[in-house]
Amino acid sequence: MIRYKNNSFTLRLNILALLFFTIICSTIGCFNIGPHAMQHEWLKYNNVISNIEDQQNLLNLVKLRYNDSPKMLAVTNINSQLLLGTEDSGASYSFSEGATPLGNRFNFSLFPKYEDKPTITYQPLQGEKFVKSMLEQISLDVLLLLNNSGWSVERIFRLCVQDINGIRNAPGASGPTPDYAPEYKEFLTVAKLMRTLQKSNLSNVEYELVDGKSTLAFSLAKEALELSETHKLVEMLRLTPGRAEYPIRMNDVDHNPNLIRLRTRSVMGILYLLSQSVEVPQEDVEKGKLTTTKYADGRPFYWSNLFSSLFQIKSSSDKPSDAFVSIKYRGSWFYIDDTDVESKRTYALFSQIFAIQAGKIEVERPTLTLPIGR
């Protein structure tokens, strides 16, 4: 809005100067708002997508514990248009002549703003290829990749392997919650022994030339051959003592004292396994809303024993104040505590495994575009 008392030359000159100033300011604003918007918008979308994926994974784990069907959605496309404009679709001006002892005066105000108009596309993860990727056993190459990435061999094996040389790691937990107590204690001892040797750089999982062929093997340094931990590990796995490497095979049935036989889980099996760690409200247990696991004599089995120092999902009637990720389901809050470092590490490992398996499926990846409009 412009107010004036007469059509003096000074007034016209000031108006022209004002309009010129407005054009310059608007032009400069257009040059600056693009990079400024990109700097903030990409981070906002990155954080939101990450949080949504974490909440979706947590929700599916809780659903599996309640024997409900999990669902997965992927963000396949993001189009975000930024519209540049001004408040009330314009600018505000005011002018007065002789208003001060110094002469004419004009007031100018411009309130630029931009509006974000995103279009987000979701795609259900389903179909034959996706289901097969979720049900496929994790390959030895994936185990090697994770091991070479610096992950603890104990964490990898506890999560991904359900049987090593006949020693079982709760194979029944790779499906819906069993009503019988699982076997896992011997396997936990084996995994911890392997981790002890790994931390001392006395063992590794790598490709070796065995009988002239490149074969994945569990190898031992010479210094490890005399250690009590190595003797105990070899004895538990029923292996030939004194060897520096033991080739690894998948799904072999017959025992061979010179080989290590592994049976790995699928991604779906890992999901089911982790779902057993969900701490469910006692009220839901008493109402029979989920399966209760017991020993043969009727005593209850506590899954927290199997998941010690590995993973835990807590529950609460109130929204947790300090959670890494949380979700409300069936009237209760389920969450991973932000101070539970071991659970967060295991979750990060699972996320990498899921990304590897899901990466085999051709799914259009999210794109972020930020056109500037006026």
Side-chain angles (χ1 to χ4, degrees):
M1 179 174 61
I2 301 175
R3 300 174 186 157
Y4 56 91
K5 294 182 178 180
N6 53 52
N7 292 324
S8 66
F9 176 77
T10 302
L11 174 61
R12 290 196 298 272
L13 184 62
N14 284 331
I15 291 175
L16 288 174
L18 176 61
L19 292 176
F20 179 76
F21 180 70
T22 301
I23 293 172
I24 294 299
C25 287
S26 298
T27 303
I28 293 174
C30 286
F31 282 118
N32 288 333
I33 196 170
H36 176 78
M38 288 182 64
Q39 184 178 4
H40 292 82
E41 296 303 315
W42 80 266
L43 182 60
K44 179 175 67 177
Y45 282 107
N46 183 288
N47 288 335
V48 169
I49 291 174
S50 177
N51 291 338
I52 289 174
E53 288 179 348
D54 290 342
Q55 288 178 326
Q56 177 175 250
N57 289 335
L58 177 60
L59 175 62
N60 284 329
L61 291 176
V62 176
K63 281 186 172 182
L64 288 174
R65 184 64 181 93
Y66 278 90
N67 297 312
D68 297 337
S69 299
K71 297 294 180 184
M72 296 183 183
L73 292 176
V75 178
T76 59
N77 194 59
I78 302 175
N79 287 300
S80 179
Q81 185 177 26
L82 298 177
L83 301 179
L84 178 65
T86 57
E87 189 174 16
D88 297 327
S89 300
S92 175
Y93 315 94
S94 66
F95 174 86
S96 60
E97 187 175 11
T100 70
L102 298 178
N104 300 334
R105 182 185 69 182
F106 70 86
N107 296 321
F108 166 76
S109 64
L110 179 65
F111 301 98
K113 67 175 183 178
Y114 66 88
E115 183 179 0
D116 183 12
K117 291 188 174 182
T119 300
I120 302 174
T121 304
Y122 299 93
Q123 177 178 324
L125 294 177
Q126 56 188 7
E128 181 181 356
K129 289 184 178 180
F130 176 74
V131 173
K132 282 184 176 180
S133 73
M134 293 297 100
L135 297 180
E136 279 182 356
Q137 280 184 281
I138 295 171
S139 68
L140 295 180
D141 285 339
V142 172
L143 296 185
L144 175 64
L145 178 64
L146 297 172
N147 180 76
N148 290 344
S149 298
W151 285 103
S152 158
V153 67
E154 177 187 349
R155 196 180 304 273
I156 295 171
F157 272 49
R158 290 180 68 183
L159 199 63
C160 302
V161 178
Q162 64 181 21
D163 186 289
I164 179 170
N165 278 21
I167 298 176
R168 311 178 80 188
N169 179 29
S174 298
T177 305
D179 56 5
Y180 56 88
E183 299 177 34
Y184 70 93
K185 291 183 179 180
E186 277 191 282
F187 186 96
L188 185 57
T189 301
V190 167
K192 288 184 179 298
L193 288 170
M194 296 179 75
R195 175 57 176 164
T196 299
L197 294 173
Q198 182 191 44
K199 287 193 295 184
S200 301
N201 293 321
L202 297 177
S203 70
N204 199 8
V205 177
E206 56 190 351
Y207 276 100
E208 299 275 0
L209 282 177
V210 180
D211 298 329
K213 296 181 180 180
S214 180
T215 303
L216 190 67
F218 177 69
S219 59
L220 293 165
K222 290 182 179 179
E223 306 94 282
L225 298 181
E226 302 301 324
L227 295 178
S228 59
E229 290 85 357
T230 302
H231 292 163
K232 185 173 182 180
L233 178 64
V234 168
E235 180 183 358
M236 292 186 70
L237 295 178
R238 295 179 295 157
L239 296 173
T240 303
R243 293 176 62 95
E245 65 270 326
Y246 299 91
I248 300 175
R249 296 284 188 269
M250 281 272 286
N251 303 325
D252 279 4
V253 177
D254 296 328
H255 175 68
N256 184 328
N258 297 324
L259 299 176
I260 292 178
R261 297 175 293 120
L262 292 183
R263 189 178 301 275
T264 60
R265 289 189 167 93
S266 64
V267 171
M268 199 66 209
I270 295 176
L271 276 169
Y272 269 114
L273 172 71
L274 295 179
S275 75
Q276 317 301 349
S277 73
V278 175
E279 177 189 272
V280 295
Q282 186 60 32
E283 180 182 359
D284 290 348
V285 176
E286 293 172 354
K287 290 182 178 180
K289 292 184 178 181
L290 33 76
T291 304
T292 301
T293 306
K294 298 180 180 180
Y295 289 100
D297 59 7
R299 290 180 296 116
F301 173 78
Y302 297 103
W303 286 99
S304 57
N305 295 330
L306 185 147
F307 289 99
S308 174
S309 70
L310 183 68
F311 196 69
Q312 182 182 24
I313 297 176
K314 297 182 178 181
S315 65
S316 172
S317 57
D318 300 319
K319 185 176 181 179
S321 59
D322 189 20
F324 164 66
V325 58
S326 62
I327 196 75
K328 191 174 184 179
Y329 188 68
R330 288 176 171 262
S332 298
W333 283 94
F334 297 89
Y335 65 99
I336 297 175
D337 197 306
D338 198 33
T339 62
D340 187 352
V341 176
E342 297 302 327
S343 292
K344 290 163 67 175
R345 286 177 176 174
T346 299
Y347 177 80
L349 175 59
F350 165 73
S351 297
Q352 290 186 13
I353 297 170
F354 181 84
I356 292 171
Q357 292 296 107
K360 298 177 182 179
I361 308 301
E362 295 182 3
V363 178
E364 185 180 359
R365 294 301 171 193
T367 57
L368 178 60
T369 57
L370 297 173
I372 306 299
R374 286 197 65 194

